[in-house]
Amino acid sequence: MVEVVMAMMVISLMFVAALNAVGSSRTTLTTMGERARAMALAEGLMQEILAQPYADPQDADAFGPTATEAATEDRSLFDDVDDYDGWSASPPVDRDGVALSGNDDFERRAAVHWVQAETLGEAAAETGVKQITVTVSRGGKRMAELVALRVDAKPAEVQP
């Protein structure tokens, strides 16, 4: 009888340990899936930003969205990299303002600023280099962040 009780205790302990391992594994898989989704959201926005010209086609000296661009509900009028500075959306939306399904508890943010080419330190005026940061959060916790540099690559003037 004592042997049966001891065997039941050992089996119970092993069962609890197995359940803890399965629970931890499930939590890890869920977290990895959320991070993968956050990275995909960050990559999508970064690709959209990097596809834009370095400077505003109508006003190369302007930084940030114009009044017209900022007044829209979406990003469809954004026409250069720095229009995205300070932009955020929760839930994440596509360029036309349509919510990306299945991502209701995520938030995407973009920040753009000039940096010094030599040090990559922040600059107060135009330097020819802009740093773009895209951050994706869930429940206030940062899940993914991408940083890219965009250089003003104006074609060199041809000398006669």
Side-chain angles (χ1 to χ4, degrees), residues 49-54 81 128-132 148-152:
I49 295 170
L50 292 175
Q52 299 293 335
Y54 177 85
V81 168
V129 182
K130 293 177 183 174
Q131 178 176 307
I132 305 151
L149 296 175
R150 184 65 186 270
V151 178
D152 187 8

Side-chain angles (χ1 to χ4, degrees), residues 97-148:
V98 178
L100 301 173
S101 64
N103 298 297
D104 294 341
D105 49 351
F106 286 87
E107 176 185 30
R108 290 196 296 186
R109 295 186 166 279
V112 181
H113 60 270
W114 291 302
V115 293
Q116 296 292 333
E118 301 81 22
T119 65
L120 298 182
E122 194 165 342
E126 175 64 64
T127 61
V129 182
K130 293 177 183 174
Q131 178 176 307
I132 305 151
T133 305
V134 172
T135 307
V136 177
S137 303
R138 182 170 187 239
K141 181 181 177 186
R142 184 175 55 197
M143 301 292 289
E145 183 173 86
L146 294 176
V147 178

Side-chain angles (χ1 to χ4, degrees), residues 31-89:
T31 302
M32 287 174 51
E34 291 170 351
R35 289 193 185 279
R37 182 183 304 178
M39 186 57 74
L41 289 167
E43 288 172 349
L45 182 58
M46 184 64 81
Q47 287 175 358
E48 176 185 322
I49 295 170
L50 292 175
Q52 299 293 335
Y54 177 85
D56 193 309
Q58 283 77 38
D59 185 3
D61 294 330
F63 186 90
T66 63
T68 305
E69 293 165 341
T72 62
E73 294 288 322
D74 56 39
R75 304 183 306 275
S76 62
L77 296 179
F78 287 7
D79 58 359
D80 65 286
V81 168
D82 56 67
D83 286 350
Y84 292 83
D85 185 43
W87 178 87
S88 69

